[in-house]
PDB file of all heavy atoms in Angstrom:
ATOM      1  N   MET A   1      13.205 -24.845  21.581  1.00 33.00           N
ATOM      2  CA  MET A   1      13.832 -23.572  21.264  1.00 33.00           C
ATOM      3  C   MET A   1      12.968 -22.436  21.947  1.00 33.00           C
ATOM      4  O   MET A   1      11.836 -22.408  21.737  1.00 33.00           O
ATOM      5  CB  MET A   1      13.771 -23.326  19.734  1.00 33.00           C
ATOM      6  CG  MET A   1      14.344 -21.804  19.369  1.00 33.00           C
ATOM      7  SD  MET A   1      14.112 -21.604  17.539  1.00 33.00           S
ATOM      8  CE  MET A   1      15.122 -22.834  16.878  1.00 33.00           C
ATOM      9  N   THR A   2      13.705 -21.556  22.782  1.00 35.00           N
ATOM     10  CA  THR A   2      12.887 -20.500  23.374  1.00 35.00           C
ATOM     11  C   THR A   2      12.833 -19.335  22.370  1.00 35.00           C
ATOM     12  O   THR A   2      13.513 -19.243  21.524  1.00 35.00           O
ATOM     13  CB  THR A   2      13.690 -20.075  24.620  1.00 35.00           C
ATOM     14  OG1 THR A   2      15.023 -19.509  24.350  1.00 35.00           O
ATOM     15  CG2 THR A   2      13.804 -21.235  25.603  1.00 35.00           C
ATOM     16  N   ALA A   3      11.951 -18.437  22.683  1.00 35.00           N
ATOM     17  CA  ALA A   3      11.766 -17.301  21.770  1.00 35.00           C
ATOM     18  C   ALA A   3      12.963 -16.487  21.781  1.00 35.00           C
ATOM     19  O   ALA A   3      13.408 -16.029  20.674  1.00 35.00           O
ATOM     20  CB  ALA A   3      10.526 -16.422  22.223  1.00 35.00           C
ATOM     21  N   GLY A   4      13.533 -16.103  22.901  1.00 37.00           N
ATOM     22  CA  GLY A   4      14.738 -15.306  22.955  1.00 37.00           C
ATOM     23  C   GLY A   4      15.981 -15.895  22.237  1.00 37.00           C
ATOM     24  O   GLY A   4      16.530 -15.379  21.402  1.00 37.00           O
ATOM     25  N   ALA A   5      16.255 -17.189  22.623  1.00 33.00           N
ATOM     26  CA  ALA A   5      17.516 -17.801  21.976  1.00 33.00           C
ATOM     27  C   ALA A   5      17.251 -18.086  20.506  1.00 33.00           C
ATOM     28  O   ALA A   5      18.085 -17.933  19.654  1.00 33.00           O
ATOM     29  CB  ALA A   5      17.792 -19.063  22.739  1.00 33.00           C
ATOM     30  N   GLY A   6      15.917 -18.493  20.158  1.00 32.00           N
ATOM     31  CA  GLY A   6      15.725 -18.883  18.798  1.00 32.00           C
ATOM     32  C   GLY A   6      15.693 -17.703  17.864  1.00 32.00           C
ATOM     33  O   GLY A   6      16.066 -17.740  16.730  1.00 32.00           O
ATOM     34  N   LEU A   7      15.288 -16.506  18.331  1.00 34.00           N
ATOM     35  CA  LEU A   7      15.117 -15.378  17.486  1.00 34.00           C
ATOM     36  C   LEU A   7      16.400 -14.542  17.367  1.00 34.00           C
ATOM     37  O   LEU A   7      16.479 -13.701  16.519  1.00 34.00           O
ATOM     38  CB  LEU A   7      13.931 -14.545  17.965  1.00 34.00           C
ATOM     39  CG  LEU A   7      12.586 -15.100  17.796  1.00 34.00           C
ATOM     40  CD1 LEU A   7      11.530 -14.295  18.325  1.00 34.00           C
ATOM     41  CD2 LEU A   7      12.296 -15.393  16.262  1.00 34.00           C
ATOM     42  N   ARG A   8      17.319 -14.777  18.304  1.00 35.00           N
ATOM     43  CA  ARG A   8      18.533 -13.918  18.264  1.00 35.00           C
ATOM     44  C   ARG A   8      19.248 -14.013  16.972  1.00 35.00           C
ATOM     45  O   ARG A   8      19.691 -13.023  16.400  1.00 35.00           O
ATOM     46  CB  ARG A   8      19.433 -14.231  19.445  1.00 35.00           C
ATOM     47  CG  ARG A   8      20.663 -13.374  19.729  1.00 35.00           C
ATOM     48  CD  ARG A   8      21.442 -13.781  20.836  1.00 35.00           C
ATOM     49  NE  ARG A   8      20.640 -13.795  22.107  1.00 35.00           N
ATOM     50  CZ  ARG A   8      20.399 -14.864  22.828  1.00 35.00           C
ATOM     51  NH1 ARG A   8      20.935 -16.051  22.495  1.00 35.00           N
ATOM     52  NH2 ARG A   8      19.594 -14.843  23.906  1.00 35.00           N
ATOM     53  N   ARG A   9      19.380 -15.313  16.494  1.00 31.00           N
ATOM     54  CA  ARG A   9      20.027 -15.435  15.272  1.00 31.00           C
ATOM     55  C   ARG A   9      19.271 -14.991  14.010  1.00 31.00           C
ATOM     56  O   ARG A   9      19.910 -14.892  12.874  1.00 31.00           O
ATOM     57  CB  ARG A   9      20.427 -16.980  15.082  1.00 31.00           C
ATOM     58  CG  ARG A   9      19.189 -17.828  15.074  1.00 31.00           C
ATOM     59  CD  ARG A   9      19.582 -19.291  14.954  1.00 31.00           C
ATOM     60  NE  ARG A   9      18.528 -20.155  15.067  1.00 31.00           N
ATOM     61  CZ  ARG A   9      18.388 -21.376  14.425  1.00 31.00           C
ATOM     62  NH1 ARG A   9      19.497 -21.905  13.835  1.00 31.00           N
ATOM     63  NH2 ARG A   9      17.302 -22.116  14.597  1.00 31.00           N
ATOM     64  N   PHE A  10      18.092 -14.724  14.101  1.00 32.00           N
ATOM     65  CA  PHE A  10      17.352 -14.269  12.983  1.00 32.00           C
ATOM     66  C   PHE A  10      17.812 -12.896  12.575  1.00 32.00           C
ATOM     67  O   PHE A  10      17.669 -12.527  11.331  1.00 32.00           O
ATOM     68  CB  PHE A  10      15.843 -14.037  13.382  1.00 32.00           C
ATOM     69  CG  PHE A  10      15.169 -15.347  13.779  1.00 32.00           C
ATOM     70  CD1 PHE A  10      13.815 -15.328  14.287  1.00 32.00           C
ATOM     71  CD2 PHE A  10      15.808 -16.500  13.601  1.00 32.00           C
ATOM     72  CE1 PHE A  10      13.231 -16.497  14.603  1.00 32.00           C
ATOM     73  CE2 PHE A  10      15.139 -17.763  14.000  1.00 32.00           C
ATOM     74  CZ  PHE A  10      13.821 -17.667  14.471  1.00 32.00           C
ATOM     75  N   ARG A  11      18.423 -12.059  13.416  1.00 38.00           N
ATOM     76  CA  ARG A  11      18.777 -10.718  12.926  1.00 38.00           C
ATOM     77  C   ARG A  11      20.221 -10.785  12.299  1.00 38.00           C
ATOM     78  O   ARG A  11      20.559  -9.831  11.751  1.00 38.00           O
ATOM     79  CB  ARG A  11      18.936  -9.888  14.211  1.00 38.00           C
ATOM     80  CG  ARG A  11      17.661  -9.899  15.122  1.00 38.00           C
ATOM     81  CD  ARG A  11      17.797  -8.804  16.222  1.00 38.00           C
ATOM     82  NE  ARG A  11      16.856  -9.002  17.270  1.00 38.00           N
ATOM     83  CZ  ARG A  11      16.933  -9.680  18.353  1.00 38.00           C
ATOM     84  NH1 ARG A  11      18.155 -10.229  18.682  1.00 38.00           N
ATOM     85  NH2 ARG A  11      15.973  -9.827  19.223  1.00 38.00           N
ATOM     86  N   GLU A  12      20.860 -11.883  12.277  1.00 42.00           N
ATOM     87  CA  GLU A  12      22.190 -11.829  11.791  1.00 42.00           C
ATOM     88  C   GLU A  12      22.462 -13.117  10.829  1.00 42.00           C
ATOM     89  O   GLU A  12      23.084 -14.042  11.216  1.00 42.00           O
ATOM     90  CB  GLU A  12      23.173 -11.962  13.004  1.00 42.00           C
ATOM     91  CG  GLU A  12      23.161 -10.806  13.921  1.00 42.00           C
ATOM     92  CD  GLU A  12      24.044 -10.992  15.051  1.00 42.00           C
ATOM     93  OE1 GLU A  12      24.834 -12.100  15.211  1.00 42.00           O
ATOM     94  OE2 GLU A  12      24.221  -9.947  15.848  1.00 42.00           O
ATOM     95  N   PRO A  13      21.798 -13.006   9.718  1.00 44.00           N
ATOM     96  CA  PRO A  13      22.002 -14.127   8.762  1.00 44.00           C
ATOM     97  C   PRO A  13      23.428 -14.376   8.439  1.00 44.00           C
ATOM     98  O   PRO A  13      24.154 -13.427   8.296  1.00 44.00           O
ATOM     99  CB  PRO A  13      21.236 -13.722   7.507  1.00 44.00           C
ATOM    100  CG  PRO A  13      21.123 -12.254   7.590  1.00 44.00           C
ATOM    101  CD  PRO A  13      21.084 -11.922   9.134  1.00 44.00           C
ATOM    102  N   ALA A  14      23.841 -15.647   8.210  1.00 44.00           N
ATOM    103  CA  ALA A  14      25.215 -16.037   7.962  1.00 44.00           C
ATOM    104  C   ALA A  14      25.619 -15.527   6.553  1.00 44.00           C
ATOM    105  O   ALA A  14      24.874 -15.645   5.597  1.00 44.00           O
ATOM    106  CB  ALA A  14      25.425 -17.518   7.994  1.00 44.00           C
ATOM    107  N   PRO A  15      26.813 -14.803   6.373  1.00 47.00           N
ATOM    108  CA  PRO A  15      27.142 -14.324   5.078  1.00 47.00           C
ATOM    109  C   PRO A  15      27.529 -15.531   4.013  1.00 47.00           C
ATOM    110  O   PRO A  15      27.926 -16.532   4.617  1.00 47.00           O
ATOM    111  CB  PRO A  15      28.430 -13.494   5.428  1.00 47.00           C
ATOM    112  CG  PRO A  15      28.938 -14.078   6.626  1.00 47.00           C
ATOM    113  CD  PRO A  15      27.823 -14.616   7.447  1.00 47.00           C
ATOM    114  N   ALA A  16      27.428 -15.332   2.828  1.00 48.00           N
ATOM    115  CA  ALA A  16      27.818 -16.198   1.883  1.00 48.00           C
ATOM    116  C   ALA A  16      29.331 -16.305   1.827  1.00 48.00           C
ATOM    117  O   ALA A  16      30.117 -15.392   2.051  1.00 48.00           O
ATOM    118  CB  ALA A  16      27.272 -15.957   0.494  1.00 48.00           C
ATOM    119  N   ALA A  17      29.978 -17.504   1.476  1.00 47.00           N
ATOM    120  CA  ALA A  17      31.323 -17.696   1.339  1.00 47.00           C
ATOM    121  C   ALA A  17      31.877 -16.815   0.280  1.00 47.00           C
ATOM    122  O   ALA A  17      31.152 -16.541  -0.783  1.00 47.00           O
ATOM    123  CB  ALA A  17      31.704 -19.106   1.141  1.00 47.00           C
ATOM    124  N   HIS A  18      33.125 -16.326   0.345  1.00 48.00           N
ATOM    125  CA  HIS A  18      33.673 -15.442  -0.723  1.00 48.00           C
ATOM    126  C   HIS A  18      33.693 -16.147  -2.053  1.00 48.00           C
ATOM    127  O   HIS A  18      34.195 -17.293  -2.158  1.00 48.00           O
ATOM    128  CB  HIS A  18      35.012 -15.006  -0.273  1.00 48.00           C
ATOM    129  CG  HIS A  18      35.662 -14.092  -1.270  1.00 48.00           C
ATOM    130  ND1 HIS A  18      35.322 -12.832  -1.537  1.00 48.00           N
ATOM    131  CD2 HIS A  18      36.759 -14.308  -2.153  1.00 48.00           C
ATOM    132  CE1 HIS A  18      35.942 -12.251  -2.438  1.00 48.00           C
ATOM    133  NE2 HIS A  18      36.968 -13.154  -2.867  1.00 48.00           N
ATOM    134  N   GLY A  19      33.125 -15.492  -3.052  1.00 47.00           N
ATOM    135  CA  GLY A  19      33.275 -16.078  -4.342  1.00 47.00           C
ATOM    136  C   GLY A  19      31.980 -16.985  -4.704  1.00 47.00           C
ATOM    137  O   GLY A  19      31.965 -17.517  -5.860  1.00 47.00           O
ATOM    138  N   GLN A  20      31.158 -17.254  -3.771  1.00 48.00           N
ATOM    139  CA  GLN A  20      30.089 -18.213  -3.940  1.00 48.00           C
ATOM    140  C   GLN A  20      28.750 -17.385  -3.946  1.00 48.00           C
ATOM    141  O   GLN A  20      28.592 -16.418  -3.158  1.00 48.00           O
ATOM    142  CB  GLN A  20      29.997 -19.280  -2.818  1.00 48.00           C
ATOM    143  CG  GLN A  20      31.214 -20.181  -2.839  1.00 48.00           C
ATOM    144  CD  GLN A  20      31.014 -21.322  -1.861  1.00 48.00           C
ATOM    145  OE1 GLN A  20      29.937 -21.254  -1.061  1.00 48.00           O
ATOM    146  NE2 GLN A  20      31.832 -22.196  -1.763  1.00 48.00           N
ATOM    147  N   ARG A  21      27.921 -17.797  -4.814  1.00 49.00           N
ATOM    148  CA  ARG A  21      26.607 -17.104  -4.947  1.00 49.00           C
ATOM    149  C   ARG A  21      25.643 -17.715  -3.829  1.00 49.00           C
ATOM    150  O   ARG A  21      25.454 -18.947  -3.797  1.00 49.00           O
ATOM    151  CB  ARG A  21      25.961 -17.279  -6.317  1.00 49.00           C
ATOM    152  CG  ARG A  21      24.640 -16.583  -6.457  1.00 49.00           C
ATOM    153  CD  ARG A  21      24.134 -16.850  -7.869  1.00 49.00           C
ATOM    154  NE  ARG A  21      22.800 -16.196  -8.020  1.00 49.00           N
ATOM    155  CZ  ARG A  21      22.127 -16.199  -9.197  1.00 49.00           C
ATOM    156  NH1 ARG A  21      22.675 -16.864 -10.264  1.00 49.00           N
ATOM    157  NH2 ARG A  21      20.911 -15.597  -9.226  1.00 49.00           N
ATOM    158  N   ALA A  22      25.087 -16.818  -2.985  1.00 60.00           N
ATOM    159  CA  ALA A  22      24.247 -17.378  -2.000  1.00 60.00           C
ATOM    160  C   ALA A  22      22.943 -17.855  -2.535  1.00 60.00           C
ATOM    161  O   ALA A  22      22.330 -17.282  -3.447  1.00 60.00           O
ATOM    162  CB  ALA A  22      23.960 -16.252  -0.925  1.00 60.00           C
ATOM    163  N   GLY A  23      22.469 -19.065  -2.068  1.00 72.00           N
ATOM    164  CA  GLY A  23      21.234 -19.582  -2.467  1.00 72.00           C
ATOM    165  C   GLY A  23      20.160 -19.064  -1.564  1.00 72.00           C
ATOM    166  O   GLY A  23      20.395 -18.242  -0.599  1.00 72.00           O
ATOM    167  N   PRO A  24      18.844 -19.487  -1.822  1.00 86.00           N
ATOM    168  CA  PRO A  24      17.760 -19.023  -0.973  1.00 86.00           C
ATOM    169  C   PRO A  24      17.891 -19.484   0.479  1.00 86.00           C
ATOM    170  O   PRO A  24      18.413 -20.707   0.700  1.00 86.00           O
ATOM    171  CB  PRO A  24      16.536 -19.624  -1.639  1.00 86.00           C
ATOM    172  CG  PRO A  24      16.980 -20.855  -2.448  1.00 86.00           C
ATOM    173  CD  PRO A  24      18.404 -20.354  -2.870  1.00 86.00           C
ATOM    174  N   ARG A  25      17.745 -18.676   1.416  1.00 91.00           N
ATOM    175  CA  ARG A  25      17.917 -19.043   2.805  1.00 91.00           C
ATOM    176  C   ARG A  25      16.672 -18.678   3.639  1.00 91.00           C
ATOM    177  O   ARG A  25      15.893 -17.779   3.337  1.00 91.00           O
ATOM    178  CB  ARG A  25      19.084 -18.240   3.408  1.00 91.00           C
ATOM    179  CG  ARG A  25      20.510 -18.618   2.806  1.00 91.00           C
ATOM    180  CD  ARG A  25      21.600 -17.785   3.418  1.00 91.00           C
ATOM    181  NE  ARG A  25      22.945 -18.249   2.902  1.00 91.00           N
ATOM    182  CZ  ARG A  25      23.693 -19.088   3.459  1.00 91.00           C
ATOM    183  NH1 ARG A  25      23.294 -19.760   4.609  1.00 91.00           N
ATOM    184  NH2 ARG A  25      24.882 -19.539   3.034  1.00 91.00           N
ATOM    185  N   CYS A  26      16.585 -19.409   4.755  1.00 93.00           N
ATOM    186  CA  CYS A  26      15.519 -19.103   5.679  1.00 93.00           C
ATOM    187  C   CYS A  26      15.604 -17.610   6.159  1.00 93.00           C
ATOM    188  O   CYS A  26      16.710 -17.271   6.565  1.00 93.00           O
ATOM    189  CB  CYS A  26      15.610 -20.100   6.899  1.00 93.00           C
ATOM    190  SG  CYS A  26      14.429 -19.796   8.144  1.00 93.00           S
ATOM    191  N   GLU A  27      14.592 -16.963   6.152  1.00 93.00           N
ATOM    192  CA  GLU A  27      14.567 -15.559   6.547  1.00 93.00           C
ATOM    193  C   GLU A  27      14.577 -15.362   8.058  1.00 93.00           C
ATOM    194  O   GLU A  27      14.577 -14.317   8.652  1.00 93.00           O
ATOM    195  CB  GLU A  27      13.384 -14.848   5.952  1.00 93.00           C
ATOM    196  CG  GLU A  27      13.510 -14.681   4.560  1.00 93.00           C
ATOM    197  CD  GLU A  27      12.446 -13.753   3.879  1.00 93.00           C
ATOM    198  OE1 GLU A  27      12.472 -12.549   4.015  1.00 93.00           O
ATOM    199  OE2 GLU A  27      11.519 -14.383   3.177  1.00 93.00           O
ATOM    200  N   LEU A  28      14.543 -16.501   8.773  1.00 91.00           N
ATOM    201  CA  LEU A  28      14.606 -16.524  10.225  1.00 91.00           C
ATOM    202  C   LEU A  28      15.950 -16.969  10.833  1.00 91.00           C
ATOM    203  O   LEU A  28      16.484 -16.269  11.700  1.00 91.00           O
ATOM    204  CB  LEU A  28      13.464 -17.365  10.764  1.00 91.00           C
ATOM    205  CG  LEU A  28      12.051 -17.010  10.391  1.00 91.00           C
ATOM    206  CD1 LEU A  28      11.084 -17.945  10.967  1.00 91.00           C
ATOM    207  CD2 LEU A  28      11.761 -15.464  11.000  1.00 91.00           C
ATOM    208  N   CYS A  29      16.465 -18.041  10.244  1.00 92.00           N
ATOM    209  CA  CYS A  29      17.797 -18.503  10.855  1.00 92.00           C
ATOM    210  C   CYS A  29      18.783 -18.604   9.834  1.00 92.00           C
ATOM    211  O   CYS A  29      19.979 -18.935  10.230  1.00 92.00           O
ATOM    212  CB  CYS A  29      17.520 -19.818  11.442  1.00 92.00           C
ATOM    213  SG  CYS A  29      17.211 -21.129  10.186  1.00 92.00           S
ATOM    214  N   ALA A  30      18.655 -18.217   8.547  1.00 92.00           N
ATOM    215  CA  ALA A  30      19.669 -18.259   7.479  1.00 92.00           C
ATOM    216  C   ALA A  30      20.113 -19.571   7.010  1.00 92.00           C
ATOM    217  O   ALA A  30      21.065 -19.686   6.342  1.00 92.00           O
ATOM    218  CB  ALA A  30      20.900 -17.329   7.903  1.00 92.00           C
ATOM    219  N   THR A  31      19.421 -20.632   7.417  1.00 90.00           N
ATOM    220  CA  THR A  31      19.684 -21.955   6.987  1.00 90.00           C
ATOM    221  C   THR A  31      19.336 -22.092   5.502  1.00 90.00           C
ATOM    222  O   THR A  31      18.370 -21.411   5.020  1.00 90.00           O
ATOM    223  CB  THR A  31      18.933 -22.993   7.755  1.00 90.00           C
ATOM    224  OG1 THR A  31      19.326 -23.027   9.124  1.00 90.00           O
ATOM    225  CG2 THR A  31      19.102 -24.349   7.194  1.00 90.00           C
ATOM    226  N   ASP A  32      20.197 -22.881   4.625  1.00 92.00           N
ATOM    227  CA  ASP A  32      19.751 -23.045   3.201  1.00 92.00           C
ATOM    228  C   ASP A  32      18.346 -23.644   3.172  1.00 92.00           C
ATOM    229  O   ASP A  32      18.018 -24.621   3.871  1.00 92.00           O
ATOM    230  CB  ASP A  32      20.752 -24.014   2.586  1.00 92.00           C
ATOM    231  CG  ASP A  32      22.094 -23.330   2.404  1.00 92.00           C
ATOM    232  OD1 ASP A  32      22.164 -22.116   2.394  1.00 92.00           O
ATOM    233  OD2 ASP A  32      23.072 -24.144   2.146  1.00 92.00           O
ATOM    234  N   LEU A  33      17.561 -23.150   2.231  1.00 90.00           N
ATOM    235  CA  LEU A  33      16.156 -23.682   2.122  1.00 90.00           C
ATOM    236  C   LEU A  33      16.142 -24.826   1.225  1.00 90.00           C
ATOM    237  O   LEU A  33      16.726 -24.881   0.119  1.00 90.00           O
ATOM    238  CB  LEU A  33      15.313 -22.488   1.581  1.00 90.00           C
ATOM    239  CG  LEU A  33      14.966 -21.397   2.572  1.00 90.00           C
ATOM    240  CD1 LEU A  33      14.224 -20.199   1.967  1.00 90.00           C
ATOM    241  CD2 LEU A  33      14.058 -21.958   3.760  1.00 90.00           C
TER     242      LEU A  33
END
Side-chain angles (χ1 to χ4, degrees):
M1 178 188 296
T2 65
L7 292 176
R8 189 177 303 118
R9 58 182 176 154
F10 296 172
R11 308 187 192 98
E12 301 175 355
H18 180 68
Q20 294 183 358
R21 182 178 178 181
R25 292 179 177 270
C26 175
E27 294 184 72
L28 299 174
C29 71
T31 298
D32 290 339
L33 287 173

